[in-house]
């Protein structure tokens, strides 16, 4: 190893390596993708990359495809000076790129084959490589069609559930079935999947599948769908159909009959509906019956499961039956319900005593009625005012003014809206009582006036007037009134008129005074004159006093009082007395008219 010499074996190895590298560098190399996948209708571009040693030029490039007989058919012959296209089935669908790559447009299923690129390079020989063109087409979303006729659970053969179809797929797709999201697999005498494949003229595949399986009552809620599976660039893809339900036929297991509204609240006059429901499919035929003493009576015209009873009454109560008939197996089921129509009847009011009562007496009213439910009683007068509760009502100290119409309202608290009323009139007898007359009445002699007399009584009274005239009777609420139209005479002014009201129980009378308005006016004039005279007298008296005061005849001291009311004085003299509590005030000076000051004694 000294002196840098290498072992013989090592030198031999490097030599071999050098020879291989030189050989590779001197060989024509062509590289192409092994596979190319393109969707139907798209464009496939196949590249042909080659390497010629020492950057030498190619002599020619040929493109071929391999037909069904495994024979190469040339598409292009390319030289440095020209490009020649052979006449093939690819005419007008193939083209060359700047880099001599082959492009195929509007790819079809038939284009799924091998394409070869061959390159000649003079002394470096001829080389070739190939690409396998794969074509795919995504199938259409599968369409599912459920059994349109319905499937009976009693079927002895395995029935068809649904059909599924997916069109125009490539390569060949396959279909799977699912129930409630879970995949179904073929199982003898349980699940049968029948698949049919159709190759279209375009080369695409249409796949149809049929699912057959037994069904149960629970399958009325099941949902079915199918899925189509296909490959794209080596990846598995799937498309699902919509989910569908299948019409399952099954017999009735449960029959239910109910009353709307509930029977406990049904009252006379209501509309009642009997609803019969069955859980079979298809719905059975319904028939209604009502139980009579002689048996069941069919109620016709109600085969839809609904029986309408309008404006029910007591006779509508009873037992009703709904009968279902399944046309698939002719089986029958029955269900009954009792309908109770609540009512109130025979409302009456009894009065004690039953005879007519007199004013001041009392009466007892007793209300009664019949009903299958508990009742409540309420009394009201004719104005709606509540008088009391309970079956009995006592009216005490009756008068003509006591409301003579009383109502007994009968209610059923347990049945809202169920009520009836009964009115009774209480007649109170008594002799007439005059409640109003037109007196005093101010009139003019010889004028025509209306005299009014109003009374209350039972029995109805008669009116009699002490004078002649035109009488007219009328009713005012509980009162009876009489109007007498007369001409006012001197005698009528003097005597007035008498109204007499009588019935079988007595008589009442009152006097109507007529006052002459002329005499009234004269009397009023006399009074006015007297008032004026009195006012004048007072005025004159005041003037006299003022005059005497000014003349000094009536002294007025600051500290004294004047008393002109002493009884001893004569009427024709005026006496003025001045009193003082202090002597100094008695000696006070009063100033006269001439401005002198005088003693009090001098002024008297």
């Amino acid at each position: 190893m000294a002196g840098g010499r290498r072992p013989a074996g090592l030198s031999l190895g490097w030599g071999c390596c050098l020879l291989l590298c030189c050989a590779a560098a001197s060989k024509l190399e062509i590289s192409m993708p092994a596979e190319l996948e393109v969707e139907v209708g798209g464009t496939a571009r196949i590249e042909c990359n080659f390497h010629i040693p020492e950057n030498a030029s190619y002599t020619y490039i040929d493109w071929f495809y391999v037909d069904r007989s495994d024979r190469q058919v040339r598409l292009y012959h390319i030289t440095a000076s020209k490009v020649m296209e052979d006449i093939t089935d690819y005419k007008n669908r193939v083209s060359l790129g700047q880099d001599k790559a082959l492009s195929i447009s509007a790819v079809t299923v038939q284009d799924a084959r091998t394409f070869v690129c061959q390159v000649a390079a003079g002394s470096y020989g001829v080389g070739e490589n190939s690409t396998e063109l794969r074509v795919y087409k995504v199938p259409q979303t599968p369409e599912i069609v459920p059994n349109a006729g319905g499937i009976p659970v009693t079927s002895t053969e395995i029935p068809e559930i649904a059909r599924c179809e997916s069109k125009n797929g490539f390569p060949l797709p396959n279909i799977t079935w699912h129930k409630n999201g879970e995949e179904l697999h073929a199982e003898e005498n349980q699940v049968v999947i029948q698949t049919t494949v159709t190759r279209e003229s375009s080369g695409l595949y249409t796949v149809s599948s049929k699912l057959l399986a037994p069904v149960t009552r629970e399958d009325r809620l099941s949902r079915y769908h199918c899925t189509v599976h296909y490959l794209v660039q080596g990846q598995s893809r799937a498309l699902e159909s919509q989910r569908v339900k299948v019409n399952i036929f099954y017999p009735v297991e449960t029959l239910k009959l109910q009353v709307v509204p509930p029977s406990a609240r049904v009252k006379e006059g209501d509309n009642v509906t009997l609803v019969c429901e069955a859980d079979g499919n298809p719905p059975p035929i319904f028939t209604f019956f009502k139980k009579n003493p002689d048996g069941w009576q069919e109620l016709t015209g109600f085969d839809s499961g609904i029986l309408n009873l309008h404006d029910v009454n007591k006779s509508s109560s009873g037992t009703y039956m709904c009968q279902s008939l399944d046309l698939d197996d002719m089986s029958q089921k029955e269900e009954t319900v009792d309908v109770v129509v609540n009512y109130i009847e025979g409302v009456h009011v009894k009065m004690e005593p039953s005879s007519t009562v007199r004013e001041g007496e009392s009466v007892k009213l007793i209300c009664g009625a019949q009903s299958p439910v508990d009742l409540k009683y309420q009394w009201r007068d004719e104005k709606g005012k509540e008088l009391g509760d309970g079956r009995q009502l006592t009216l005490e100290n009756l008068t003509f003014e006591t409301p003579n119409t009383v109502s007994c309202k009968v209610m059923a608290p347990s049945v809202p809206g169920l009520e009836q009323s009964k009115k009774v009139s209480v007649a109170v007898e008594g002799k007439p009582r005059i409640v109003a007359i037109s007196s005093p009445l101010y009139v003019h002699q010889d004028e025509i006036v209306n005299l009014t007399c109003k009374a209350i009584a039972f029995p109805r009274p008669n009116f009699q007037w002490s004078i002649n005239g035109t009488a007219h009777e009328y009713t005012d609420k509980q009162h009876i009134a009489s109007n007498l139209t007369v001409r006012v005479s001197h005698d009528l002014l003097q005597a007035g008129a008498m109204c007499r009201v009588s019935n079988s129980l007595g008589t009442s009378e009152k006097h109507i005074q007529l006052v002459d308005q002329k005499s009234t006016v004269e009397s009023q004039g006399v009074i006015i004159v007297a008032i004026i005279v009195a006012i004048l007298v007072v005025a004159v008296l005041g003037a006299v006093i003022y005059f005497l005061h000014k003349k000094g005849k009536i002294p007025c001291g600051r500290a004294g009082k004047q008393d002109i009311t002493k009884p001893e004085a004569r009427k024709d003299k005026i006496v003025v007395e001045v009193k003082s509590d202090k002597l100094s005030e008695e000696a006070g000076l009063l100033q006269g008219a001439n401005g002198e000051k005088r003693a009090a004694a001098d002024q008297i």
Side-chain angles (χ1 to χ4, degrees):
M1 299 296 288
R5 295 181 65 184
R6 299 176 180 173
L10 184 59
S11 299
L12 181 61
W14 279 102
C16 291
C17 227
L18 183 60
L19 289 173
L20 289 172
C21 290
C22 291
S26 62
K27 183 180 178 182
L28 174 63
E29 294 180 354
I30 301 174
S31 63
M32 295 177 66
E35 293 181 353
L36 178 64
E37 192 165 10
V38 180
E39 187 172 9
V40 171
T43 298
R45 189 174 186 276
I46 306 173
E47 295 182 353
C48 179
N49 299 314
F50 54 88
H51 174 71
I52 303 174
E54 299 180 356
N55 292 325
S57 298
Y58 64 89
T59 305
Y60 65 88
I61 299 173
D62 285 344
W63 279 99
F64 300 90
Y65 72 88
V66 179
D67 64 9
R68 306 294 180 189
S69 303
D70 204 22
R71 182 176 62 89
Q72 288 188 352
V73 179
R74 193 173 71 178
L75 294 169
Y76 280 104
H77 178 72
I78 308 164
T79 64
S81 59
K82 63 179 179 180
V83 175
M84 184 179 68
E85 181 183 358
D86 291 78
I87 298 176
T88 64
D89 293 338
Y90 284 93
K91 187 69 174 176
N92 299 326
R93 284 206 303 126
V94 293
S95 61
L96 289 174
Q98 292 282 343
D99 57 354
K100 307 301 185 288
L102 178 67
S103 293
I104 307 169
S105 62
V107 171
T108 66
V109 172
Q110 288 74 20
D111 295 331
R113 51 173 47 121
T114 301
F115 289 84
V116 179
C117 176
Q118 186 182 83
V119 180
S123 61
Y124 293 100
V126 177
E128 66 178 33
N129 206 340
S130 63
T131 295
E132 183 73 23
L133 179 60
R134 297 185 181 278
V135 179
Y136 72 90
K137 179 69 171 68
V138 176
Q140 295 178 4
T141 301
E143 295 183 357
I144 186 170
V145 179
N147 189 323
I151 306 171
V153 297
T154 56
S155 176
T156 57
E157 299 180 353
I158 302 177
E160 177 184 325
I161 302 295
R163 296 188 179 194
C164 179
E165 183 179 72
S166 179
K167 297 180 178 180
N168 300 327
F170 190 87
L172 179 63
N174 72 296
I175 290 177
T176 58
W177 284 94
H178 305 263
K179 173 183 175 182
N180 297 327
E182 295 184 3
E183 184 177 350
L184 298 174
H185 300 281
E187 184 178 350
E188 187 176 357
N189 296 327
Q190 290 297 319
V191 178
V192 177
I193 299 175
Q194 299 175 350
T195 302
T196 303
V197 177
T198 302
R199 187 71 180 267
E200 307 293 344
S201 59
S202 61
L204 301 177
Y205 293 102
T206 294
V207 182
S208 300
S209 183
K210 185 190 301 182
L211 173 65
L212 297 90
V215 293
T216 63
R217 184 187 188 89
E218 288 69 26
D219 286 327
R220 69 188 187 278
L221 304 176
S222 296
R223 291 185 175 272
Y224 298 85
H225 77 276
C226 59
T227 302
V228 60
H229 302 268
Y230 59 96
L231 294 175
V232 174
Q233 297 179 352
Q235 300 293 324
S236 179
R237 306 286 178 84
L239 291 171
E240 292 184 354
S241 70
Q242 64 179 358
R243 284 158 171 74
V244 297
K245 293 176 66 175
V246 179
N247 191 15
I248 306 297
F249 294 156
Y250 45 89
V252 175
E253 289 186 354
T254 303
L255 185 66
K256 182 170 64 174
L257 179 60
Q258 59 181 345
V259 180
V260 181
S263 184
R265 295 188 176 184
V266 175
K267 63 182 182 297
E268 281 189 313
D270 283 350
N271 295 328
V272 178
T273 301
L274 273 65
V275 180
C276 192
E277 296 177 337
D279 60 356
N281 186 44
I285 295 176
F286 297 100
T287 306
F288 284 96
F289 300 86
K290 183 182 179 185
K291 191 173 185 179
N292 289 332
D294 299 334
W296 292 100
Q297 177 187 357
E298 182 178 350
L299 305 176
T300 59
F302 303 99
D303 57 356
S304 63
I306 297 178
L307 174 62
N308 293 310
L309 304 177
H310 299 285
D311 195 19
V312 297
N313 52 36
K314 179 180 178 181
S315 63
S316 303
S317 298
T319 301
Y320 291 80
M321 180 176 67
C322 172
Q323 183 183 83
S324 66
L325 173 63
D326 197 322
L327 296 179
D328 188 31
D329 57 2
M330 301 306 290
S331 60
Q332 291 183 345
K333 285 190 176 297
E334 298 173 351
E335 188 68 25
T336 60
V337 68
D338 290 328
V339 175
V340 177
V341 179
N342 297 289
Y343 61 90
I344 297 176
E345 66 179 9
V347 181
H348 62 279
V349 178
K350 180 181 179 183
M351 187 168 61
E352 295 180 356
S354 58
S355 59
T356 306
V357 295
R358 300 285 183 92
E359 271 197 301
E361 294 181 350
S362 300
V363 67
K364 180 187 292 184
L365 303 177
I366 303 172
C367 189
Q370 290 81 45
S371 176
V373 294
D374 293 335
L375 300 177
K376 179 181 177 181
Y377 300 84
Q378 189 178 83
W379 298 88
R380 294 182 181 272
D381 63 14
E382 56 191 2
K383 296 182 178 179
K385 179 182 177 182
E386 186 173 344
L387 301 177
D389 294 323
R391 289 192 59 195
Q392 297 185 7
L393 175 69
T394 300
L395 301 177
E396 299 178 345
N397 194 23
L398 296 174
T399 65
F400 291 130
E401 287 78 9
T402 302
N404 60 359
T405 300
V406 179
S407 174
C408 173
K409 186 177 182 180
V410 186
M411 301 167 288
S414 61
V415 186
L418 180 59
E419 59 184 44
Q420 284 195 20
S421 297
K422 182 70 174 180
K423 291 183 179 180
V424 61
S425 295
V426 180
V428 179
E429 287 188 345
K431 75 173 186 176
R433 184 171 359 113
I434 298 176
V435 296
I437 58 172
S438 54
S439 178
L441 182 64
Y442 294 94
V443 298
H444 291 289
Q445 187 169 338
D446 293 330
E447 78 168 319
I448 297 175
V449 296
N450 287 326
L451 307 181
T452 301
C453 182
K454 185 181 294 186
I456 185 170
F458 187 81
R460 183 185 178 97
N462 296 319
F463 286 85
Q464 290 181 337
W465 293 89
S466 60
I467 59 174
N468 294 326
T470 302
H472 168 66
E473 293 184 7
Y474 63 93
T475 301
D476 182 12
K477 296 182 180 178
Q478 295 177 307
H479 302 142
I480 302 172
S482 176
N483 274 352
L484 182 67
T485 304
V486 296
R487 182 182 295 277
V488 178
S489 64
H490 177 73
D491 294 340
L492 182 59
L493 284 172
Q494 295 296 320
M498 184 70 69
C499 172
R500 179 175 297 167
V501 186
S502 61
N503 63 8
S504 60
L505 300 177
T507 301
S508 294
E509 61 182 16
K510 279 194 176 183
H511 180 263
I512 297 177
Q513 178 186 0
L514 280 74
V515 179
D516 192 347
Q517 286 188 344
K518 179 179 180 182
S519 300
T520 303
V521 171
E522 292 176 352
S523 299
Q524 291 175 349
V526 172
I527 293 172
I528 292 172
V529 170
I531 293 173
I532 293 173
V533 170
I535 293 173
L536 292 175
V537 170
V538 173
V540 170
L541 180 60
V544 171
I545 294 172
Y546 179 74
F547 176 76
L548 292 177
H549 169 68
K550 288 295 185 178
K551 292 297 183 178
K553 300 299 183 178
I554 301 178
C556 293
R558 290 181 180 178
K561 294 182 180 179
Q562 297 180 0
D563 190 354
I564 61 174
T565 60
K566 296 185 72 67
E568 294 82 3
R570 287 164 44 189
K571 294 183 180 179
D572 55 348
K573 292 185 178 181
I574 298 175
V575 180
V576 178
E577 181 180 0
V578 179
K579 294 183 180 180
S580 177
D581 295 334
K582 297 182 180 180
L583 184 60
S584 58
E585 291 180 357
E586 292 177 357
L589 297 179
L590 296 176
Q591 184 173 356
N594 55 3
E596 297 180 354
K597 294 182 179 179
R598 295 181 294 178
D602 297 334
Q603 296 182 30
I604 299 176

